[in-house]
Amino acid sequence: MTVFSRQKITPVILAGGSGTRLWPLSRKSYPKQFVPLVGEETLFQSSAKRMVGAVGTMDFAAPVVLTNSDFRFIVTEQLAEAGIDPGAIMIEPEGRNTAPAVLAAALHAQAKDPQAILLVSPSDHVIPDGDSFRAAVEAGLAAVAQGNLVTFGITPDRPETGYGYLELTGTPSGTDPVALKRFVEKPDAARAAEMLAAGTYLWNAGIFLFRAADIIAAFETHAPDLIPPVQASVTEAQPDLGFLRLDPTAWAGAKDISIDYAVMEKAGNLSVVPFSAGWSDLGGWDAVWREGARDENGVGLSGAATAIDCEDSLLRSDSDRLEVVGIGLKNIMAVAMNDAVLVADMSCAQDVKKAVDALKAKKSQQATHFPKDHRPWGWFESLVVGARFQVKRIHVHPGAALSLQSHFHRSEHWIVVEGTARVTIDDEVTLVTENQSVYIPLGSVHRMENPGKVPMVLIEVQTGSYVGEDDIVRYEDIYSRGQGEKG
């Protein structure tokens, strides 16, 4: 009987990005990886669930997630919903692109296991066939054992101009690793058609498999300036609740550069595993349209959307209060939310980021802020905002609590509409149930908690001279947030 040695693979999930090409659904405060764009799960959850358990000769370890401080509680909440316990959640003090993030994960993993093998993946890609993906990962292990850095190339099915390409030294066969000849930047349409016909070019998926020791050695050779700041940021990292905060002073000295530019385009020991079972980075609404369900006329509908005599279009409403109706549309994408609507020709999918830039120039909050503001205890959304008042809907998870706080410029009325709230006002603690209300005077030290087993929802009416989110003094907080962090 043949006995195969099992390989432990540590997934490294990069979840700190903020895509703009899927505006208005994806915004800086709540980017696309945390949104259920295709199917019921978010892209982040689907990415994590692709890399769990035992498969073939592989055992997937608990994932290492790199994200930023604003997303840390979203990451933990969505992992918990997916039934995944992370090995580590590393907090980047600021975005520095993928090279420092991958190096930090490698240094962290090698300190725990000198033989660690890492599978580095973005958190916002769609790979419908998880079994085929895991088989491709297993196919790359032989190259990893020889000290190679493995990347995954997607078999192209069209002359795509939105992706970078990998030129191989030969024609790919199945999932057998092929040596990489060179990286190719995003081509124009004519060049993309030539590469598709050649059969030796694959799309660059930005997914990697290697030993931690080998990628660290590659950094030492090709990007040695990154080693000192990133090593120091890992060495000086501080635990914070369930997170590991990289040292901000050291991290600030790391160059902002991608893993491709820093290492991969310079390394000579790269192998490519071909993958042809379906993949998309959902880099625009045209990609969402292609990956989603469509009717016989090529129309994709999502949410409260209706199409009449439409062809090859995407109609989507992510608001239960806003119906989107298209009549006689062709090659159009229309995406609606409570606070913003995008309508464009499908051919302009890559230009959506221009809309975000234009809104930023107008200082419009729709450019970056999501209608629902997610917090570690739940979320809220503003329903009405006036000169001296604001009305919010607040959702508090079971067992969660807001910080003990006070305000200088506003008083608040709370009306519980679902569940039960435990309310602290100065020295008094009371239970407020459905259809009951409570008044919070200006300056009172107060807190709301959900002591129950179901979500608690209340309507908050704020009145005062200033109703901004930064009017807060925080006295106690179970999430260890500072005065500068959101409430």
Side-chain angles (χ1 to χ4, degrees):
M1 180 179 67
T2 302
V3 178
F4 295 95
S5 61
R6 301 195 64 79
Q7 300 271 20
K8 178 173 282 189
I9 313 296
T10 299
V12 175
I13 304 174
L14 307 179
S18 55
T20 57
R21 288 177 293 178
L22 288 178
W23 185 89
L25 191 61
S26 176
R27 310 188 196 183
K28 182 179 179 181
S29 68
Y30 202 71
K32 67 175 182 175
Q33 60 263 33
F34 302 120
V35 177
L37 274 164
V38 179
E40 298 298 318
E41 296 176 331
T42 69
L43 300 179
F44 172 69
Q45 289 172 320
S46 296
S47 297
K49 290 177 75 170
R50 274 196 295 274
M51 300 177 285
V52 296
V55 181
T57 61
M58 303 181 299
D59 290 318
F60 284 106
V64 173
V65 181
L66 283 102
T67 190
N68 62 44
S69 188
D70 287 345
F71 303 153
R72 67 192 191 278
F73 293 109
I74 300 173
V75 164
T76 55
E77 180 181 328
Q78 294 201 356
L79 285 176
E81 290 174 354
I84 296 173
D85 188 16
I89 298 176
M90 303 176 70
I91 306 300
E92 299 175 73
E94 55 185 314
R96 280 290 185 264
N97 216 313
T98 54
V102 172
L103 179 56
L107 292 167
H108 173 78
Q110 189 189 45
K112 293 180 174 296
D113 177 9
Q115 303 302 316
I117 299 175
L118 307 182
L119 175 60
V120 178
S121 173
S123 60
D124 56 359
H125 292 184
V126 170
I127 302 177
D129 190 343
D131 289 339
S132 293
F133 173 73
R134 290 182 285 271
V137 172
E138 192 171 22
L141 287 174
V144 170
Q146 297 171 358
N148 288 330
L149 309 176
V150 173
T151 186
F152 295 81
I154 309 302
T155 303
D157 58 7
R158 62 186 184 276
E160 175 63 56
T161 60
Y163 299 146
Y165 285 70
L166 306 169
E167 183 180 3
L168 309 182
T169 57
T171 304
S173 175
T175 56
D176 295 336
V178 183
L180 175 70
K181 185 174 182 180
R182 67 186 178 105
F183 286 79
V184 181
E185 295 291 334
K186 295 177 182 178
D188 59 24
R191 180 61 180 144
E194 292 174 359
M195 291 191 289
L196 178 65
T200 54
Y201 294 84
L202 304 177
W203 292 334
N204 182 8
I207 303 172
F208 305 100
L209 180 71
F210 38 61
R211 287 188 299 223
D214 292 329
I215 191 64
I216 292 170
F219 272 99
E220 290 171 342
T221 300
H222 304 294
D225 56 316
L226 283 174
I227 297 287
V230 176
Q231 178 67 76
S233 72
V234 173
T235 302
E236 301 299 324
Q238 296 295 317
D240 176 10
L241 296 178
F243 310 103
L244 185 65
R245 288 185 176 273
L246 297 170
D247 180 75
T249 302
W251 189 255
K255 185 187 299 183
D256 185 329
I257 188 171
S258 73
I259 184 73
D260 282 355
Y261 285 132
V263 172
M264 296 300 175
E265 293 188 2
K266 303 172 185 176
N269 60 332
L270 263 71
S271 291
V272 182
V273 172
F275 185 75
S276 58
W279 167 91
S280 175
D281 72 345
L282 290 188
W285 284 113
D286 55 339
V288 176
W289 171 75
R290 277 194 301 270
E291 294 298 320
R294 287 169 279 167
D295 66 16
E296 65 276 7
N297 297 314
V299 177
L301 297 174
S302 179
T306 302
I308 301 171
D309 297 330
C310 295
E311 299 177 31
D312 299 331
S313 294
L314 173 69
L315 304 180
R316 179 179 183 125
S317 174
D318 281 81
S319 168
D320 55 8
R321 293 179 288 165
L322 199 157
E323 283 279 346
V324 173
V325 180
I327 302 176
L329 302 179
K330 187 173 182 179
N331 207 45
I332 293 295
M333 51 191 191
V335 182
M337 301 198 58
N338 284 344
D339 64 338
V341 178
L342 169 72
V343 180
D345 191 273
M346 197 78 76
S347 64
C348 299
Q350 296 301 308
D351 294 331
V352 171
K353 56 187 176 182
K354 295 180 181 178
V356 178
D357 292 338
L359 291 175
K360 285 181 179 178
K362 291 172 57 177
K363 297 184 179 179
S364 169
Q365 73 171 13
Q366 283 92 335
T368 56
H369 289 82
F370 203 69
K372 284 184 179 179
D373 204 324
H374 289 260
R375 301 295 169 88
W377 43 260
W379 54 264
F380 72 83
E381 61 179 335
S382 294
L383 304 177
V384 182
V385 180
R388 293 179 60 88
F389 73 93
Q390 180 171 203
V391 181
K392 291 180 179 179
R393 174 168 60 167
I394 299 178
H395 175 111
V396 183
H397 298 316
L402 280 68
S403 60
L404 186 67
Q405 58 188 256
S406 66
H407 309 294
F408 288 116
H409 302 289
R410 69 175 185 257
S411 59
E412 297 172 344
H413 299 259
W414 295 344
I415 305 98
V416 176
V417 293
E418 292 182 27
T420 298
R422 180 188 291 127
V423 177
T424 299
I425 304 176
D426 294 324
D427 296 326
E428 184 178 353
V429 179
T430 58
L431 288 178
V432 183
T433 60
E434 291 182 8
N435 297 320
Q436 293 183 330
S437 64
V438 65
Y439 172 63
I440 315 296
L442 185 151
S444 294
V445 177
H446 61 278
R447 166 185 278 157
M448 75 171 75
E449 305 170 69
N450 180 0
K453 302 292 186 182
V454 297
M456 184 268 288
V457 180
L458 60 81
I459 301 300
E460 177 181 82
V461 180
Q462 303 175 351
T463 57
S465 59
Y466 179 71
V467 293
E469 291 302 315
D470 54 350
D471 177 21
I472 182 172
V473 178
R474 185 175 287 122
Y475 303 99
E476 294 177 7
D477 183 58
I478 63 174
Y479 308 107
S480 298
R481 293 169 296 173
Q483 293 292 349
E485 288 196 76
K486 294 179 178 179

